[in-house]
Amino acid sequence: MKPIQIICAVAFAWGILSVPAYAASMCTATLISSTTSSTTSIENCINGEKYRWKNSSGTYVTVETCLDCSDGYTLSEDVSYSHCTNKFTRGFCRKKCTATALDDVDMPEGCAGQQPQEYQFGDAKYINCFDCANGYKTYTTTISSSQCTNTATQYSCVVDPDAECLTDDDCVGKFVTEPDENGYVEVSTFGWCGGGQCTYEDSKPTCIKG
């Protein structure tokens, strides 16, 4: 054997010049077995099937698909695998979802304090704001998803129709008492706005015109 042949033979033996274990090609599905609610890994699945998803090189994965769901909602998705040029269509069921925090977002109108965040809930996204500015109040919305059996709660801020103020300036120069027998009222000379309501630090009696 020539020296170059010996070197190549050793290189292949060590895996230096070896080709990948598989190459992506069209895959086909072969039914392996049926599954029940006690044997499937798919949440809320009553019965389904287990397949061998194999390409022409013999590389395969075992995948499950659901046929019937306990909540009556059977969904489907196309799943990609690196050894296949086509996709496997998998049936699955709605499940109990958890809201996952994504990124911080800009302050929506009326939001204050803690930085609001965007959340992912199933196939739905929403923004939560837990602290509201003066003159706004917390408003809750139920978030649902076609992929989830449960719901999530969104917190946002809306204008409070019962708010007395938005800023401290709204609390200065306001009547703070009813007219007395002489027609005098107390008018604020200093105050601040907290939670949409004025708190008065100082006031003085003023005669109402007329």
Side-chain angles (χ1 to χ4, degrees):
M1 181 180 290
K2 295 180 180 180
I4 187 65
Q5 292 176 320
I6 297 174
I7 294 173
C8 289
V10 173
F12 273 111
W14 286 348
I16 296 174
L17 299 179
S18 61
V19 297
Y22 63 84
S25 61
M26 184 76 73
C27 284
T28 56
T30 302
L31 180 64
I32 298 174
S33 63
S34 296
T35 58
T36 64
S37 57
S38 60
T39 60
T40 183
S41 62
I42 301 174
E43 188 175 344
N44 293 326
C45 185
I46 300 175
N47 66 81
E49 294 173 332
K50 189 175 291 186
Y51 286 88
R52 178 166 292 162
W53 186 235
K54 185 172 67 172
N55 70 2
S56 58
S57 300
T59 303
Y60 71 89
V61 294
T62 301
V63 293
E64 290 185 68
T65 183
C66 189
L67 303 178
D68 298 293
C69 301
S70 59
D71 62 1
Y73 290 88
T74 305
L75 309 172
S76 64
E77 63 180 353
D78 291 332
V79 185
S80 297
Y81 294 96
S82 59
H83 66 286
C84 303
T85 56
N86 53 332
K87 296 181 179 181
F88 182 86
T89 301
R90 182 179 73 96
F92 65 102
C93 305
R94 295 199 309 171
K95 61 182 180 179
K96 187 173 182 179
C97 298
T98 301
T100 303
L102 301 177
D103 297 323
D104 292 343
V105 295
D106 294 335
M107 286 284 189
E109 180 183 355
C111 189
Q114 180 181 339
Q115 188 71 31
Q117 282 187 307
E118 184 177 38
Y119 287 81
Q120 180 83 49
F121 182 74
D123 58 0
K125 289 183 179 180
Y126 63 94
I127 295 173
N128 260 350
C129 181
F130 297 101
D131 301 304
C132 296
N134 283 326
Y136 291 82
K137 64 178 182 179
T138 299
Y139 181 77
T140 58
T141 304
T142 298
I143 302 297
S144 59
S145 168
S146 60
Q147 298 179 351
C148 309
T149 57
N150 56 328
T151 58
T153 301
Q154 177 186 15
Y155 296 90
S156 55
C157 298
V158 296
V159 174
D160 185 355
D162 298 322
E164 186 179 7
C165 58
L166 295 177
T167 67
D168 293 342
D169 291 340
D170 296 333
C171 300
V172 179
K174 283 183 171 291
F175 295 150
V176 296
T177 65
E178 293 295 325
D180 61 15
E181 64 275 9
N182 298 316
Y184 282 88
V185 295
E186 291 289 319
V187 177
S188 67
T189 58
F190 176 77
W192 64 89
C193 185
Q197 302 299 314
C198 289
T199 300
Y200 302 106
E201 178 69 19
D202 192 19
S203 61
K204 66 179 180 179
T206 302
C207 183
I208 297 179
K209 184 179 180 180

